[in-house]
Amino acid sequence: MVTPVSYGDRDREGLRGTPPESVHHSVNGASHEARQLRSASAESCDSGSRRGTITVELTGGLANQLFQWAAGEILAKEFETEYSLDARKLQQAGQRGYQLESILTSDAPVVSLGRIERFTWRGGAYMPSVSRPLLRRISMVASRARHLRSSVVCNYAEARDALGEGKSIVLASFFQEPQELLKYRDFLRSKIKLPEVRGQVARATGGEDRYVAAHVRRGDYVSVGKYLATFGICSESYYTTALAQANRDLPVLIATDDRAWTQDFIDRSEFSGSAMISGFEDHYSDLSLLASAGYLVMSNSTFSWWAAFLGEHEAVFAPEPWFTDRSREHGLYLDSWVKIDRD
């Protein structure tokens, strides 16, 4: 049986997690998740400690999942309790799937539809009378039943109040509260292992190990109307101004989801001789590229936010405003960032 991450005496003795190859993140690697969560709660009550457990409902892409995971880590550490990651919403149509397995060094178990499907196997024989749509329905019903037994919370304050009363909780929001994460910056960094990219960067830049990195986020910000209305995009003027304020003597590497637009920008800019698009094919390496730079030019994306949070940059340049819909602003900027008009 996979045991949820627990922060108790072991953490105080300096436990830092296990190597990625031994992490129990596989969505098919454990069973009876409902029993696991119930038994963990029962054990807490039996001990007289009245410690509630934490279930983190994951949704969104890599950066959003990192915010949600971080909330589970932080709250479990503060209350010396256990947490699990519930990835079932990520299996629904339109979702992006579980994206943390490759980079986390902590061993939080992941609850997914795949584990419930295992209940239909007996001695290796599949029970064809149970369909996948029905299993998804069972999964969602089980999730709602757990909500009835737990307090559903949407921010750190609500979570702390409920855990302080010994309640089990479900984290059901994005938990994008930077000041909470800053308190645990080194702790969270120690639990994320990004791919090593400096060798590839040095080859691309002719041996230069210091560089300026920029993130150009367009993609669904341009193609999906509601995202364009909510977030908007950073202009060429923003990138030109921000890159000009960074170190002009260094090469510029750009991670982007719109290579055609970015290459056209490079060709027409004053940086055409020193700028190039990242050659990486995966977003984990792009995140590492951005985090490892000497200077970072962000987009209005939480992917950029995590690059700034994980790195040790000499300067970080951020677009202002973050949202076209300014009513959605909620304190994502860090004090050390240089804000530049994005329009």
Side-chain angles (χ1 to χ4, degrees):
M1 172 183 268
V2 177
T3 303
V5 168
S6 178
Y7 289 101
D9 293 335
R10 294 186 305 159
D11 183 67
R12 291 194 292 271
E13 292 167 4
L15 180 66
R16 306 302 292 178
T18 54
E21 60 269 18
S22 65
V23 172
H24 300 293
H25 276 128
S26 171
V27 296
N28 294 312
S31 63
H32 304 299
E33 44 84 23
R35 293 183 186 174
Q36 172 183 303
L37 292 170
R38 286 198 300 270
S39 64
S41 179
E43 288 169 7
S44 293
C45 291
D46 290 344
S47 69
S49 63
R50 294 284 297 171
R51 291 177 185 169
T53 57
I54 301 167
T55 300
V56 183
E57 279 197 347
L58 296 174
T59 188
L62 174 60
N64 283 328
Q65 291 178 38
L66 280 169
F67 274 112
Q68 294 153 4
W69 157 81
E73 283 280 354
I74 289 170
L75 292 166
K77 181 177 179 64
E78 287 183 357
F79 287 87
E80 296 185 348
T81 189
E82 302 165 342
Y83 81 96
S84 296
L85 302 175
D86 188 339
R88 283 174 290 187
K89 282 190 175 181
L90 299 175
Q91 297 176 283
Q92 297 176 0
Q95 290 284 341
R96 305 178 191 180
Y98 178 60
Q99 300 190 21
L100 302 181
E101 181 174 4
S102 299
I103 60 173
L104 293 186
T105 63
S106 57
D107 55 351
V110 179
V111 176
S112 74
L113 184 62
R115 297 185 178 186
I116 291 178
E117 287 176 318
R118 290 171 63 88
F119 297 162
T120 67
W121 288 78
R122 294 295 184 272
Y126 185 67
M127 297 171 63
S129 62
V130 181
S131 66
R132 180 175 289 268
L134 177 57
L135 288 167
R136 291 187 186 277
R137 176 87 176 156
I138 293 171
S139 173
M140 292 303 106
V141 170
S143 179
R144 284 194 291 271
R146 187 165 64 255
H147 284 194
L148 294 176
R149 299 192 303 271
S150 304
S151 294
V152 179
V153 298
C154 296
N155 56 58
Y156 280 89
E158 291 178 357
R160 290 189 176 106
D161 286 346
L163 288 169
E165 296 172 3
K167 297 177 181 178
S168 291
I169 62 173
V170 175
L171 307 186
S173 183
F174 289 118
F175 281 81
Q176 294 177 0
E177 300 179 51
Q179 296 307 313
E180 297 289 351
L181 276 67
L182 287 175
K183 301 172 189 175
Y184 294 93
R185 193 170 192 172
D186 290 340
F187 169 72
L188 294 172
R189 282 172 169 173
S190 74
K191 294 183 174 294
I192 296 174
K193 183 174 178 60
L194 295 176
E196 177 55 57
V197 298
R198 290 192 179 276
Q200 296 97 310
V201 168
R203 288 191 290 273
T205 60
E208 181 64 67
D209 60 356
R210 293 179 69 242
Y211 60 94
V212 177
H215 181 218
V216 175
R217 169 73 181 270
R218 290 175 60 82
D220 55 355
Y221 279 17
V222 175
S223 63
V224 180
K226 65 178 182 179
Y227 293 158
L228 181 61
T230 300
F231 297 99
I233 54 175
C234 298
S235 66
E236 288 189 21
S237 175
Y238 162 73
Y239 286 108
T240 299
T241 302
L243 289 171
Q245 291 189 29
N247 192 323
R248 288 177 174 270
D249 296 328
L250 297 179
V252 177
L253 296 175
I254 303 177
T256 181
D257 58 1
D258 190 338
R259 298 178 70 87
W261 185 93
T262 303
Q263 188 60 59
D264 182 62
F265 165 72
I266 291 173
D267 292 342
R268 292 184 291 102
S269 76
E270 60 187 276
F271 309 100
S272 58
S274 61
M276 66 194 80
I277 296 175
S278 161
F280 296 117
E281 299 295 331
D282 66 280
H283 56 333
Y284 303 110
S285 295
D286 276 341
L287 182 59
S288 184
L289 172 79
L290 297 171
S292 302
Y295 299 82
L296 175 63
V297 176
M298 303 173 64
S299 67
N300 55 330
S301 165
T302 50
F303 189 84
S304 281
W305 191 97
W306 274 96
F309 181 78
L310 295 173
E312 294 284 357
H313 306 93
E314 296 174 52
V316 174
F317 303 92
E320 186 180 35
W322 193 277
F323 295 93
T324 298
D325 179 0
R326 290 177 183 252
S327 67
R328 297 176 63 95
E329 296 284 357
H330 55 276
L332 284 172
Y333 295 103
L334 302 189
D335 292 341
S336 61
W337 295 354
V338 179
K339 298 178 184 177
I340 295 176
D341 190 331
R342 74 175 201 190
D343 298 322

